[in-house]
């Protein structure tokens, strides 16, 4: 139950409210995740008036404001090497109506291992800016410690590299269903390759980060060697993860040759 509602016009006021110990106070972006999880009395801080719904290009980086909606991001992605595949993950993440209200930061905060968008951003080595303190950390460092790291704090910006190629592949019960297994691979001009796996657990898993991608499929198989649940056996996920990673790397190779 929501016991207090605040809509501050400046970031400092939002941070002051979020830093309170009582009542328990949570940020409200699009609300698609928060409103479904409320059990105890809480206060909410609506972030809509803070101007955090921006998208800017700075050099080789794409800077996303925390409250930018998934649909706005989908529509504003341009001709960068990773744009078409990132669009695929956004389309797979949520339906049109949900994309209109779900925010970039809210999606990352609420993500389980079955989030295509979060899997892609983990492969892209997204950087997260937290306030207060303007701390910057990688998404990979944030995901396993979201509750602790975000207590009394706020994501204000997500930064993605633009000069990389991205590929995304998945297996699901139906094309529109959440993935049973998904893989995202990103490659930098230097040859650095990162691979993230989704479809299982509390958050996506980084399975490979290196200069030579020859072992990426084997690393994916090993990463999901015990990833069994009601949706699929560990053996199935392990084998499919390796296949999907090979497909992603082949797609990137073909794009580089064109």
């Amino acid at each position: 139950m929501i016991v207090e509602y605040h809509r501050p016009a400046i970031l400092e006021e939002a941070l002051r409210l979020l830093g309170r110990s009582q009542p328990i106070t949570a940020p409200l972006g699009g609300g698609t995740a928060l409103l479904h999880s409320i059990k105890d009395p809480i206060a909410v801080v609506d972030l809509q008036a803070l101007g955090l719904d921006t998208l800017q290009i700075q050099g080789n980086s794409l800077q996303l404001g925390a409250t930018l909606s998934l649909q706005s991001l989908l529509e504003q992605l341009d001709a960068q090497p990773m744009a078409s595949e990132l669009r695929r993950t956004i389309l797979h993440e949520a339906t049109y109506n949900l994309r209109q209200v779900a925010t970039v930061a809210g999606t990352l905060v609420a993500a389980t291992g079955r989030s295509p968008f979060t899997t892609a951003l983990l492969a892209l080595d997204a950087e997260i800016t937290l306030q207060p303190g303007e701390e910057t950390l990688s998404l990979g460092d944030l995901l396993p410690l979201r509750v602790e790291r975000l207590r009394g704090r706020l994501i204000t910006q997500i930064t993605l590299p633009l000069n990389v190629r991205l590929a995304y592949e998945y297996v699901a019960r139906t094309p529109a269903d959440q993935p049973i297994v998904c893989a995202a691979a990103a490659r930098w001009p230097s040859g650095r390759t990162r691979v993230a796996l989704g479809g299982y657990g509390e958050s996506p898993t980084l399975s490979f980060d290196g200069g030579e991608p020859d072992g990426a499929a084997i690393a994916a198989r090993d990463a999901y060697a015990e990833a069994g649940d009601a949706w699929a056996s560990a053996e199935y996920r392990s084998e499919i993860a390796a296949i999907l990673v090979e497909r992603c790397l082949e797609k990137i190779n073909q794009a580089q040759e064109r």
Side-chain angles (χ1 to χ4, degrees):
M1 179 177 67
I2 296 176
V3 296
E4 289 183 15
Y5 171 85
H6 302 273
R7 188 171 179 172
I10 58 173
L11 180 61
E12 290 75 13
E13 177 63 10
L15 294 173
R16 184 190 70 79
L17 291 166
L18 291 170
R20 301 181 300 177
S21 58
Q22 291 294 329
I24 297 172
T25 307
L28 178 67
T32 56
L34 179 64
L35 296 179
H36 283 87
S37 62
I38 293 176
K39 296 179 181 178
D40 300 319
I42 67 167
V44 297
V45 178
D46 191 332
L47 308 178
Q48 292 184 68
L50 299 181
L52 297 177
D53 57 346
T54 58
L55 183 150
Q56 296 179 327
I57 294 177
Q58 294 287 338
N60 286 324
S61 296
L62 182 65
Q63 298 176 346
L64 311 177
T67 62
L68 182 71
S69 73
L70 292 182
Q71 184 62 29
S72 292
L73 174 57
L74 181 72
E75 294 171 354
Q76 293 184 64
L77 282 171
D78 203 351
Q80 296 86 11
M82 55 79 166
S84 62
E85 292 295 285
L86 187 57
R87 286 192 192 97
R88 290 184 61 223
T89 71
I90 296 170
L91 290 169
H92 195 192
E93 181 73 35
T95 62
Y96 176 77
N97 288 339
L98 287 176
R99 293 196 305 269
Q100 293 279 1
V101 292
T103 63
V104 173
T107 300
L108 299 180
V109 170
T112 68
R114 305 187 75 189
S115 168
F117 180 69
T118 307
T119 302
L121 264 60
L122 181 59
L124 289 167
D125 201 13
E127 290 188 346
I128 309 299
T129 301
L130 298 179
Q131 296 283 5
E134 201 165 351
E135 178 186 3
T136 300
L137 71 164
S138 70
L139 177 61
D141 288 336
L142 175 67
L143 285 174
L145 298 170
R146 280 172 284 185
V147 174
E148 294 86 351
R149 287 294 186 101
L150 294 175
R151 187 174 291 116
R153 307 189 76 188
L154 188 65
I155 296 174
T156 55
Q157 182 174 281
I158 298 94
T159 304
L160 308 178
L162 285 174
N163 60 338
V164 302
R165 295 195 179 275
L166 177 69
Y168 172 73
E169 294 291 335
Y170 72 97
V171 170
R173 291 182 178 179
T174 70
D177 200 6
Q178 287 185 310
I180 296 173
V181 187
C182 66
R187 182 175 297 164
W188 279 252
S190 65
R192 178 195 183 191
T193 301
R194 280 173 62 96
V195 176
L197 303 177
Y200 173 79
E202 295 183 358
S203 65
T205 299
L206 181 68
S207 63
F208 184 86
D209 188 351
E212 295 294 333
D214 294 344
I218 295 173
R221 183 181 289 112
D222 292 343
Y224 266 13
E226 298 182 4
D229 60 15
W231 288 82
S233 67
E235 292 78 9
Y236 175 81
R237 275 207 178 89
S238 180
E239 290 303 313
I240 294 299
I243 292 171
L244 295 182
V245 169
E246 289 175 345
R247 290 178 183 172
C248 286
L249 296 176
E250 182 179 358
K251 186 183 291 187
I252 290 175
N253 289 337
Q254 291 174 347
Q256 288 179 326
E257 292 170 0
R258 288 199 290 267

